Amino acid sequence: MTVVAIVGRPNVGKSTLFNRICGRQQALVDDLPGVTRDRNYARVNWGGKAFTLIDTGGFVTSDQSTLEEHTGQQVLLAMEEADIVLFVADARSGLHPEDPAIVEKLRRTAKPVMVVINKVDGAERNVHVSEFFQLGVEKLYPVSAAHGFGFGELLEELTRNIPERDEASEAVEPHEVRIAIVGRPNVGKSTLVNSILKVPRVIVSEVPGTTRDAIDTAFERDGQRYVLIDTAGIRRKGRTWQKLEKVSVLKALQSIERSHVAVLMVDAVEGLTDQDLHIAGYIQERFRGCVVVINKWDAVEKDAKQVKRFMTEVRDRLRFMPFAPILTISALSGQRVSKVLPAALEVFREYNRRITTGVVNQALERALQRHEPPRVSGRPLKFYYVTQTSVRPPTFVIFCNRPDSVHFSYQRFLNNHFREAFDLQKTPVRLIFRERKRGPDR
Ligand code: GDP
């Protein structure tokens, strides 16, 4: 996954630029409760090229830190995590005394740094732009994030070196389960990884992951091959900003991208936090399988009423992924750690399930009988035919007369109906609506 980081002083328009580049992506997650606030990263598709965009300004805390610390942290984050850096400056206020030093630091990493001059609107166009050549770059990218000017060229250049398909998960052996263990700092990820790997296993190999510094651990257990993603990243400790909560979200995203099943670890003592929901939202958005593991179960009161309240709350806040099994474990004592891999394997099996076309179409017919699709501006919404086009997750293309008018709640109804009909209780299912003018004779 290519990571593009936006860096710049406050008020240069980083988040407007961020929103402009992600465009529709943002709207997509609006339906997910709890995951929209505070979103500083997004997956972007532009002309068949995909990358993850991060607004580094949103990842560092601005409250107490000085301006210098603020951008300094962004620079650190970009240097560590990004493949391409967009440095944003403000055409209205002109070159800031701090800008050259920031750019200089960024360029020391030898990563491509593109200097974007924002707020180049209307008559003011080009007023201050040329002075930014003092930054020592060959090319400037003047844009107006507010008005959308200049983005074609910027994105063209940005995506030039990104490979066409970036989906590592498509290329791997179908029978190897790729598992990402994700969660906030101190939730117990490394304790769990150590505990899983402690049990005797047939082979253990450490294979470089696709991200810089990432090391995956491959092993076989009970005849099944597993890969734990970026075990090195999980166990590596002590970097200044690994303490930064939001950076851990970014780490999680990188691992999720390469996984089939994400094990989302939640701290039983602290309960489900907003950051946990951010990660869950991303798992759902990327259509990965998920097992929710509530860790440190040894450290909470196990009064029956409290347990019930806790579980109800977790289920409720994760209601956008009802298919994710929930386990309670203690990584420290090893209690129920042995359930984690089998749970992930069960999810993976459903994740790869194929349903015959006849059976899928019967299910569609039953769904339509149970719940007639709502009319759209007085005209009927017609569904003609459905076929499964891929696995991981099971993906169904439904042909209908007005694909853009299928209301979210009806999509959800069909999704739940399919999962029930095909006994796909533990995997996400993806529905794609396509246009077809006339129905078959029936
Ligand atoms: P990571 O940052 O997610 O990798 O978290 P660590 O695995 O380093 O764990 C953070 C702290 O939580 C350590 O002090 C662990 O000993 C502790 N811890 C991990 N799992 C458990 C658990 O199941 N119960 C309790 N009580 N503490 C745990």
Side-chain angles (χ1 to χ4, degrees):
M1 171 179 66
T2 305
V3 176
V4 178
I6 302 176
V7 175
R9 287 178 295 106
N11 295 321
V12 295
K14 290 190 299 299
S15 52
T16 319
L17 189 94
F18 174 87
N19 287 329
R20 175 64 71 178
I21 296 178
C22 343
R24 287 175 48 218
Q25 253 73 22
Q26 287 298 91
L28 220 158
V29 293
D30 279 345
D31 289 315
L32 311 179
V35 296
T36 46
R37 271 167 297 144
D38 245 12
R39 243 178 105 93
N40 306 302
Y41 52 86
R43 181 154 172 111
V44 179
N45 271 296
W46 199 82
K49 309 270 185 97
F51 59 91
T52 294
L53 184 69
I54 60 174
D55 173 5
T56 58
F59 280 94
V60 300
T61 42
S62 51
D63 307 354
Q64 315 96 325
S65 51
T66 64
L67 184 64
E68 211 181 335
E69 280 165 6
H70 185 69
T71 48
Q73 284 188 331
Q74 289 180 42
V75 169
L76 269 177
L77 180 52
M79 293 199 305
E80 185 110 346
E81 304 301 325
D83 301 294
I84 302 171
V85 181
L86 300 183
F87 174 72
V88 187
D90 183 338
R92 294 228 179 115
S93 55
L95 187 68
H96 186 276
E98 221 191 296
D99 288 346
I102 302 175
V103 171
E104 185 48 42
K105 256 194 234 154
L106 287 170
R107 289 169 66 191
R108 256 181 251 150
T109 63
K111 288 177 184 172
V113 177
M114 299 170 72
V115 175
V116 180
I117 312 301
N118 189 27
K119 308 193 192 175
V120 180
D121 317 325
E124 287 153 276
R125 213 173 263 191
N126 299 332
V127 175
H128 285 295
V129 173
S130 58
E131 73 187 53
F132 288 97
F133 279 114
Q134 290 174 42
L135 293 171
V137 292
E138 272 172 33
K139 198 160 165 38
L140 299 171
Y141 295 87
V143 302
S144 164
H147 298 97
F149 157 79
F151 283 88
E153 198 182 339
L154 174 66
L155 283 162
E156 187 78 43
E157 184 59 35
L158 178 64
T159 52
R160 188 188 302 279
N161 295 317
I162 296 177
E164 217 35 80
R165 280 191 76 83
D166 198 15
E167 304 269 339
S169 55
E170 297 281 333
V172 297
E173 282 279 297
H175 296 302
E176 119 187 336
V177 193
R178 300 183 59 87
I179 300 174
I181 294 179
V182 295
R184 304 162 49 222
N186 286 321
V187 70
K189 295 181 294 299
S190 42
T191 311
L192 177 62
V193 166
N194 288 331
S195 181
I196 288 176
L197 295 180
K198 202 167 58 191
V199 177
R201 62 242 176 204
V202 180
I203 11 161
V204 174
S205 70
E206 299 216 309
V207 286
T210 50
T211 322
R212 234 180 347 278
D213 303 340
I215 296 198
D216 300 343
T217 301
F219 59 99
E220 207 173 288
R221 190 164 295 161
D222 303 328
Q224 174 65 45
R225 198 174 154 89
Y226 297 89
V227 175
L228 290 184
I229 292 174
D230 194 14
T231 42
I234 291 172
R235 282 185 268 190
R236 197 187 303 130
K237 300 270 176 188
R239 299 219 184 169
T240 19
W241 53 354
Q242 286 215 334
K243 294 181 206 108
L244 293 174
E245 181 97 330
K246 288 177 182 170
V247 176
S248 66
V249 176
L250 187 62
K251 290 272 174 219
L253 306 191
Q254 292 172 339
S255 301
I256 291 164
E257 283 298 323
R258 299 198 289 120
S259 74
H260 299 128
V261 180
V263 168
L264 172 60
M265 287 187 82
V266 175
D267 189 321
V269 181
E270 298 187 25
L272 196 70
T273 67
D274 284 353
Q275 294 298 359
D276 297 331
L277 280 176
H278 273 107
I279 303 175
Y282 200 81
I283 296 170
Q284 198 249 13
E285 196 181 315
R286 301 296 302 135
F287 293 101
R288 298 305 195 256
C290 182
V291 177
V292 178
V293 165
I294 316 238
N295 188 34
K296 309 195 186 176
W297 199 243
D298 56 291
V300 289
E301 288 281 339
K302 275 181 284 297
D303 168 289
K305 236 162 81 190
Q306 277 169 325
V307 170
K308 192 157 177 251
R309 189 157 10 101
F310 185 90
M311 293 307 265
T312 308
E313 194 195 322
V314 170
R315 262 285 162 238
D316 181 55
R317 296 189 73 197
L318 290 173
R319 63 186 173 279
F320 57 90
M321 43 167 55
F323 44 80
I326 300 179
L327 298 178
T328 52
I329 70 162
S330 168
L332 198 60
S333 75
Q335 191 189 17
R336 284 189 294 277
V337 164
S338 64
K339 308 264 185 223
V340 175
L341 290 182
L345 182 60
E346 262 187 73
V347 169
F348 181 70
R349 292 205 168 120
E350 291 195 6
Y351 198 58
N352 282 285
R353 186 85 56 79
R354 278 189 193 278
I355 313 292
T356 61
T357 302
V359 172
V360 195
N361 280 285
Q362 282 162 19
L364 177 64
E365 256 171 52
R366 273 199 309 276
L368 298 175
Q369 279 162 13
R370 220 167 92 184
H371 245 304
E372 202 182 321
R375 298 170 81 83
V376 185
S377 16
R379 289 197 296 156
L381 184 58
K382 286 193 183 133
F383 293 90
Y384 304 119
Y385 178 76
V386 53
T387 184
Q388 183 173 2
T389 52
S390 62
V391 292
R392 291 193 247 160
T395 300
F396 302 91
V397 172
I398 302 179
F399 292 93
C400 60
N401 58 343
R402 323 214 14 216
D404 296 330
S405 305
V406 186
H407 192 268
F408 178 70
S409 58
Y410 200 74
Q411 293 188 20
R412 191 169 44 195
F413 158 70
L414 283 177
N415 202 308
N416 288 336
H417 182 86
F418 277 17
R419 286 201 302 108
E420 212 171 291
F422 312 141
D423 202 23
L424 296 173
Q425 297 301 338
K426 296 181 175 172
T427 176
V429 160
R430 186 179 202 169
L431 301 184
I432 298 170
F433 297 88
R434 290 254 167 81
E435 175 153 5
R436 163 149 175 200
K437 297 277 188 248
R438 276 176 299 119
D441 302 334
R442 62 166 125 113

